[in-house]
Amino acid sequence: MPEPESQNEPTVEAAAPSRISALLSALPQTAIQHWRRSLAVGAAAVAILIAFVIAWTYTARFAIQHERERLVAALTALDAGDYDQARTLVRRVLNNVGLPRQEYGTPLFVLGAVKTFDAGNDIVPERRRTGYLVASRYLTEAHSYGWPTSREKQGLLLLGKSLVESYQVRDGIDVLSEGLAVEPQTGGPFNPAIHRLLAEAFAQLSPPKFDQALSHVSAALADEGLSSDQRTAAILLKAKILSRLARFDEAQQALATVPAETERQAAVSLARAHVALDGVEAALQRLPAQEQDKLPPDLLARIDEASALLKDAQSQDKQAGDITRRALYLLGRAAELRGDHDDALQMFRQTHQKYGDTPEGLAAELGEADIRRRGGDDKASLTWYRQVLVSGADPTNYRSDVLPIEQLRGRILEAVGDYVNKGLFDNATTLLESFPPLFTRTEQLELRGDTLKQWGDRQLVEADKDSEHDDELRRSGRRHMREAGVAYEKLAGVRFATEHYSDDIWNSADCFYRGQSYSNTARLLDVYLKNEPEKRNAQALLLLGQSDLALGNVDQCIAALEECIELYARDNATYEARIDCANAYRYRGNAQEAERLLRSNLTESNLKPSSPEWRDSLFALGRLLFSQGRNEDAIDTLEEAVERYPDDAQTLQTRYLIGESYRRWADEPLSRMQQARTASEREKGAQLVHERLAKALESFKEVQRAITLRVRDVQQDPLYGAMLRNCYMLEGTVLFDLERYEDAIKSYSNVSSLYPNEPFVIETFVQIADCWQRLDRVEKAHGAIQQAQLTLDRLPKDADFAATTAFSRDEWKSLLSDMSKW
C-alpha cells in the first residue's frame, strides 16, 4: 500500500510551471554554451513573434472590417429614415474603440445627421436650438475628419442647417456656400435645400441682406423636382422676404402661385394676411399726419380682408398651435391699424396672457405699449416698454416673423425718441437702464449720453427764458450735462480701440465743461490732446484754458491759450482764446498784455463787429480800462459797446460801469478846483464836475429802471440785487456831491426799505444823517442815527458785516454812540 503524499511536496500540476520557468531560464545559458543552440533559439523566437503578429493583424482587420460593415449599415439605416437603428449601430462602433481615429468622420456624420433630425422634431424652441447646436458640433468634427465617401454635399447641407438653426448664421452661410460649390453644381438633390437655407440665413442677418436672400429662394423655386410641400415652404419664404422689402404686390402674387391642394393652406392664409397688414401700415406712413386718423376706404377693405383670412387660418389650425398664436396677434394689429384701439388692446392682452413667453406675446406687449404712448398715457406705456425690455430678448437667439429683431429694436428706439421730443427725459433714461441685452452696452451708453445732453441743453435754454425758476433749471441742466459726461467717458472706455474713442472723449469733456465740472474737463482734454493729432485741437486748448481759468490755475490757463493762439492762428477758436487769455493776464496783473490781446481781436484780425468775439472783446476792453482807472478811455469804449449792442446781456452791467466811470471822472476836476487860483478856473471845474456827475446819475437811474423791469424778485438774484443796491447808494452819493440833499435822502431811503435786514443799511442811515446835517435839520439827523442804532440791535447775531460794510458790529455800535452825541 503506497504511502500518502506529504503535504509539503508539490503536486505534478504545481511543479509543471516551475519546470517550464526553469527551462526558459536555462535557455540563455544553454544558448551561450553552443552557437548552434543559440541560432535555433533565435529562430524559434522570431517564428513565434511572426505568428503572433500575423494572428493579431488578422484579428484586428477582422474587427475593423466588422465595424466598417456596421457603419455601412448605419448609413443605410440613415438613408432609410431609421434613425434609431443608425444611432444604435454608430454607438456600438464608438464603444468598441476598434475603428481607426482617422475614420471617425463617418460615425460623427451619422450622429450629427440623427441629432439634426431629432432637433427638427422638437416643438420647444429652446430645446430645438440646443439640439441643433449639439448637431453642429458633431458635424463640425466630422468635417475635420473627412466626410464619408460621396457624402460631402449632404454633410455640408446638414452642418449649414444646424449652424443656421442654432443662430450661428454667418458660419452657416459660409458652410452652405461651400456646399453649393461642391459637385454637381446643378441638378443635385441638395441644391434647392441649400438655396432655401441660404435665403433664410441672409434674411436673419443683422442687418438682413434681403436681395441675396431673394436670389437664393428664387434659385430654389427654379428646381422642377421640388415636392408640393417644399415648393409651398419656399414660396412662403419668398413672400416674407418680398414683404420685408416693401414689395407687397409681388409678395401677394407669389402667394397666389401656391397650389390650392397644399396641406399648408392655413399658413398661406396667415402669410397673405400678414403681407396685407404690412402693406396697409406702409401706406399709412406715407399719408400726411393730419390724414392718418381717417382710413381711406381701400385700406379699410384690405384690413377687413386680412382679418377674414386670419380667422380662416385659426379655424384650420386644429391643434391651436403656431398658426393660432400668430393669427391672434395679427388680429390685434389689424384692429390697431383700423383705429379700434380698445379691440386691439383686448387682442394684445389676450395674446400675451396666453403666450407670454413667445415672440408673439412679446410683440403683443410692445403693441400695447405703442398704443398707450400714442394715446398720451406715457406712464402706462413706460411700464409696458420696460416689460418688453426685461423679457430678455437677445439678438443672438431671437427669431420672429411677426416682429423681426430690427423692428423690435426700431420701435423701442422710436419710443425713446418720442419721450425725448416730449421732454419726458425721465421716461427715456428709465428705458435706457434696461437696454441690454436687446441693445449692446455701447448702444446704451451712446444713447444715454445723447439723451442726457439734450436734457441738459433744454434746461439751460429754459433757464435763460424763465427768470422765476432759472437757478433751479440751471442747476438741473448742469447736473444732467455732468451725467452725460460720465456716460460718454464710459463709452470711450468701451470703444477704446476704435476710431470713435477720440470723439467720445471730446463729447465727455464738452459735457463736463458745460456742466461746470472743470477738473474733469481738464483731465479729459489732456487725454484728448494726447490721442488726437489734429481734429479740434484748437478748440480743445481753448476749453482747457477756460477750465484752468475757472479752477484758478492762471499760469496753466495762459500756457494753454497761448499755445492755441500761436499754433492755430487761423482757427476761429483763437479769437475767443485771446479774450480769455486777456482775462487771465488781468487777474495776474499784466494789464498791458491783456489790452494787447483784446486790441488784436478788434483791430488786427478779420473779425467783424457783427461777430460775437468782436463784441465780447469790446466789452472786455471797456471793463479792463475801467479796472485801470482810465475813466475817459473806459467811458468811450463802454459807450461804444452799449451803442452797438443795446440788447446784449452785458449791456446792463456796462451801463453801471459807465455811471461809476463818470462819477470817478468827476473827482479829477474836483481835485483841480482845490488848487485853482482864479474864479474862472474854479467855475470851469465846477461845471465839469456837474456834467460828469449828471451823466453818472443818468446811468444809475437807467440801470435801476432796467433791473426793476427785467427782474421779478431782486432778492432772489444776487447779481442784480447787488447792482441795484449799489445804484441806489451811488445815486445818493452823486446827489450828495451835487448838493441835492433831499433827493439824496430819498435815494438812500430806497435802500433802507428794500434791504431792511442787511448790515449795509446802517451806512444809509449815516448818509441820511449827513444830508440832514447839511440842511441844518439837526433833529432829523439825530433821528436817522437813532434808526441806525435800532436797526443794528435788530440785525441777527450772525449777520456778516465784513461783506458789505467797513466796520464790525462793535465798531458800528461805538461809532453810532459817538454820533448820537453830536
Side-chain angles (χ1 to χ4, degrees):
M1 184 173 180
E3 295 181 350
E5 296 178 351
S6 171
Q7 291 184 359
N8 294 327
E9 190 175 336
T11 62
V12 176
E13 291 79 2
S18 299
R19 288 197 297 271
I20 293 172
S21 176
L23 180 61
L24 291 174
S25 300
L27 279 176
Q29 185 65 31
T30 303
I32 292 171
Q33 292 176 358
H34 200 281
W35 65 271
R36 291 181 179 176
R37 291 178 182 176
S38 300
L39 183 62
V41 170
V46 169
I48 293 171
L49 180 61
I50 292 172
F52 176 78
V53 170
I54 292 172
W56 182 86
T57 302
Y58 176 79
T59 303
R61 287 182 178 178
F62 179 80
I64 292 173
Q65 185 61 33
H66 183 64
E67 300 304 332
R68 287 172 178 166
E69 289 174 358
R70 278 183 176 171
L71 288 179
V72 172
L75 289 171
T76 303
L78 181 67
D79 293 339
D82 191 350
Y83 297 102
D84 288 336
Q85 177 66 10
R87 184 183 3 247
T88 300
L89 290 170
V90 166
R91 283 179 176 171
R92 287 177 181 174
V93 170
L94 295 175
N95 288 337
N96 289 338
V97 198
L99 194 70
R101 192 77 178 171
Q102 63 271 21
E103 296 185 26
Y104 269 35
T106 299
L108 290 170
F109 164 78
V110 174
L111 286 177
V114 171
K115 196 62 182 177
T116 302
F117 171 79
D118 292 342
N121 288 331
D122 201 322
I123 62 172
V124 179
E126 190 57 36
R127 288 210 308 260
R128 182 166 60 246
R129 174 175 176 262
T130 303
Y132 278 117
L133 182 62
V134 173
S136 71
R137 292 172 179 170
Y138 279 130
L139 292 166
T140 300
E141 285 292 305
H143 192 8
S144 66
Y145 281 111
W147 301 111
T149 305
S150 302
R151 300 272 180 167
E152 182 180 3
K153 198 174 190 75
Q154 182 183 8
L156 292 171
L157 167 62
L158 292 173
L159 175 56
K161 178 181 177 65
S162 64
L163 288 169
V164 171
E165 295 294 344
S166 60
Y167 305 156
Q168 303 172 73
V169 179
R170 296 189 183 278
D171 291 339
I173 289 174
D174 293 340
V175 170
L176 290 169
S177 299
E178 180 186 351
L180 203 59
V182 172
E183 293 291 343
Q185 292 290 334
T186 59
F190 302 118
N191 278 359
I194 292 176
H195 279 301
R196 186 171 61 81
L197 282 168
L198 280 169
E200 291 180 354
F202 279 116
Q204 290 174 10
L205 286 175
S206 181
K209 295 184 178 180
F210 291 124
D211 290 336
Q212 290 172 267
L214 188 60
S215 67
H216 280 290
V217 77
S218 299
L221 285 168
D223 192 288
E224 299 294 336
L226 290 180
S227 67
S228 175
D229 188 62
Q230 290 173 333
R231 185 166 296 279
T232 300
I235 291 173
L236 289 171
L237 177 58
K238 182 178 181 180
K240 180 181 76 173
I241 295 169
L242 288 168
S243 181
R244 298 277 293 279
L245 287 168
R247 294 159 62 177
F248 306 110
D249 291 339
E250 294 179 60
Q252 293 289 13
Q253 291 169 9
L255 291 170
T257 64
V258 175
E261 65 277 7
T262 181
E263 295 180 357
R264 303 185 64 181
Q265 196 59 53
V268 174
S269 297
L270 185 75
R272 289 177 57 195
H274 196 169
V275 171
L277 295 177
D278 285 347
V280 170
E281 184 172 0
L284 279 174
Q285 291 175 352
R286 290 193 296 268
L287 290 176
Q290 61 272 18
E291 298 180 16
Q292 292 182 3
D293 293 337
K294 188 176 181 180
L295 280 174
D298 62 319
L299 295 184
L300 188 59
R302 286 158 64 181
I303 294 173
D304 292 339
E305 181 183 358
S307 298
L309 286 169
L310 292 170
K311 292 175 182 177
D312 180 57
Q314 278 184 315
S315 66
Q316 295 181 60
D317 185 16
K318 305 303 181 183
Q319 303 299 322
D322 290 351
I323 300 294
T324 298
R325 185 174 70 244
R326 296 183 184 184
L328 184 60
Y329 164 73
L330 290 174
L331 282 169
R333 188 176 167 206
E336 181 184 5
L337 291 171
R338 192 186 300 111
D340 189 352
H341 293 156
D342 290 338
D343 190 25
L345 287 173
Q346 182 180 354
M347 290 291 182
F348 287 150
R349 194 172 298 115
Q350 190 176 350
T351 303
H352 63 67
Q353 285 176 351
K354 286 186 176 181
Y355 311 107
D357 57 347
T358 66
E360 289 76 18
L362 186 69
E365 291 175 349
L366 183 59
E368 180 156 356
D370 285 342
I371 291 175
R372 300 288 187 190
R373 174 175 58 83
R374 291 167 186 159
D377 191 353
D378 295 306
K379 183 177 180 181
S381 69
L382 177 63
T383 301
W384 283 109
Y385 283 125
R386 292 187 67 191
Q387 183 69 23
V388 171
L389 287 170
V390 301
S391 66
D394 189 341
T396 59
N397 55 30
Y398 176 88
R399 297 290 182 272
S400 173
D401 289 337
V402 297
L403 183 64
I405 189 65
E406 68 270 15
Q407 292 183 14
L408 171 58
R409 286 162 50 92
R411 285 165 66 178
I412 294 292
L413 291 176
E414 179 187 347
V416 172
D418 189 39
Y419 287 142
V420 169
N421 292 335
K422 291 178 179 177
L424 300 172
F425 294 98
D426 273 330
N427 284 16
T429 53
T430 299
L431 281 187
L432 290 172
E433 291 173 2
S434 305
F435 257 38
L438 184 60
F439 296 88
T440 64
R441 176 67 169 161
T442 299
E443 291 170 319
Q444 180 194 34
L445 289 171
E446 188 171 16
L447 276 170
R448 178 172 173 80
D450 292 345
T451 301
L452 289 167
K453 183 178 180 181
Q454 290 184 61
W455 195 354
D457 272 332
R458 183 170 298 190
Q459 289 186 317
L460 291 175
V461 170
E462 290 174 355
D464 293 334
K465 299 176 181 178
D466 187 352
S467 59
E468 184 176 356
H469 304 96
D470 57 346
D471 285 342
E472 180 182 352
L473 286 169
R474 199 167 282 112
R475 283 194 298 270
S476 181
R478 289 168 180 163
R479 184 182 73 252
H480 291 127
M481 279 296 180
R482 292 191 294 272
E483 291 173 352
V486 171
Y488 283 129
E489 185 176 3
K490 290 181 179 178
L491 178 63
V494 173
R495 301 201 290 198
F496 176 76
T498 71
E499 60 183 352
H500 303 289
Y501 177 72
S502 294
D503 289 336
D504 295 335
I505 290 292
W506 170 261
N507 288 332
S508 179
D510 183 53
C511 287
F512 275 127
Y513 178 79
R514 298 178 64 191
Q516 294 190 350
S517 180
Y518 300 115
S519 57
N520 281 320
T521 304
R523 174 177 58 83
L524 287 164
L525 287 173
D526 282 336
V527 175
Y528 179 83
L529 290 167
K530 290 175 183 176
N531 287 274
E532 176 52 56
E534 54 184 27
K535 189 169 63 173
R536 301 194 196 93
N537 280 6
Q539 187 69 20
L541 287 168
L542 171 62
L543 287 186
L544 180 59
Q546 292 171 333
S547 300
D548 282 328
L549 185 60
L551 292 169
N553 302 326
V554 179
D555 291 338
Q556 292 93 318
C557 164
I558 291 174
L561 295 176
E562 288 284 12
E563 182 179 352
C564 175
I565 295 167
E566 291 175 9
L567 297 182
Y568 305 98
R570 296 179 180 275
D571 196 287
N572 291 335
T574 58
Y575 303 130
E576 192 173 352
R578 288 193 185 102
I579 298 172
D580 291 311
C581 195
N583 287 333
Y585 275 121
R586 182 165 65 87
Y587 294 147
R588 206 165 67 173
N590 192 343
Q592 183 178 358
E593 189 62 24
E595 184 175 350
R596 182 190 67 79
L597 288 167
L598 294 173
R599 292 196 183 278
S600 178
N601 267 358
L602 292 169
T603 60
E604 300 173 11
S605 70
N606 294 325
L607 287 174
K608 303 296 182 183
S610 57
S611 66
E613 292 83 2
W614 200 94
R615 175 201 63 203
D616 292 342
S617 297
L618 187 63
F619 278 108
L621 179 60
R623 290 192 294 270
L624 176 65
L625 295 172
F626 171 83
S627 67
Q628 291 181 272
R630 295 163 59 182
N631 297 306
E632 185 174 5
D633 293 338
I635 289 170
D636 290 341
T637 304
L638 294 170
E639 286 185 339
E640 180 185 357
V642 170
E643 184 179 352
R644 286 182 179 275
Y645 313 104
D647 299 323
D648 192 82
Q650 303 174 80
T651 298
L652 187 60
Q653 183 187 14
T654 302
R655 291 187 186 278
Y656 170 80
L657 295 179
I658 291 172
E660 180 63 2
S661 295
Y662 271 116
R663 191 186 70 81
R664 293 179 181 178
W665 199 20
D667 290 338
E668 296 177 16
L670 191 62
S671 62
R672 289 198 299 268
M673 284 171 58
Q674 297 174 355
Q675 301 173 3
R677 298 181 179 180
T678 64
S680 61
E681 288 179 347
R682 286 192 293 273
E683 183 179 349
K684 185 177 180 180
Q687 184 178 356
L688 283 175
V689 170
H690 187 276
E691 288 175 357
R692 293 172 184 178
L693 288 177
K695 286 283 190 180
L697 184 62
E698 180 183 349
S699 295
F700 292 141
K701 285 184 175 294
E702 193 170 355
V703 173
Q704 291 173 23
R705 286 193 299 269
I707 292 177
T708 304
L709 292 173
R710 183 179 300 183
V711 184
R712 296 179 184 176
D713 188 354
V714 177
Q715 305 287 351
Q716 298 299 320
D717 193 307
L719 177 62
Y720 285 120
M723 196 184 301
L724 182 62
R725 178 197 68 205
N726 290 346
C727 281
Y728 281 126
M729 292 291 289
L730 291 171
E731 180 186 350
T733 302
V734 170
L735 290 169
F736 185 88
D737 291 340
L738 290 170
E739 299 182 358
R740 294 166 56 181
Y741 302 119
E742 292 185 359
D743 290 335
I745 290 171
K746 291 178 181 178
S747 183
Y748 288 130
S749 297
N750 286 329
V751 178
S752 61
S753 60
L754 284 172
Y755 309 96
N757 298 316
E758 296 293 338
F760 60 81
V761 174
I762 299 172
E763 188 172 345
T764 65
F765 288 121
V766 173
Q767 296 292 342
I768 291 172
D770 196 9
C771 290
W772 287 124
Q773 286 280 5
R774 296 299 178 97
L775 292 170
D776 292 329
R777 302 286 298 275
V778 179
E779 71 285 356
K780 291 284 188 180
H782 282 292
I785 297 300
Q786 289 175 357
Q787 282 184 294
Q789 290 175 319
L790 292 172
T791 301
L792 179 63
D793 293 338
R794 191 176 63 247
L795 289 175
K797 293 183 179 180
D798 58 350
D800 186 3
F801 284 81
T804 54
T805 72
F807 305 110
S808 65
R809 180 190 290 271
D810 292 338
E811 289 171 335
W812 272 115
K813 189 173 184 179
S814 176
L815 178 62
L816 293 175
S817 177
D818 292 341
M819 293 180 70
S820 66
K821 300 174 183 177
W822 293 352

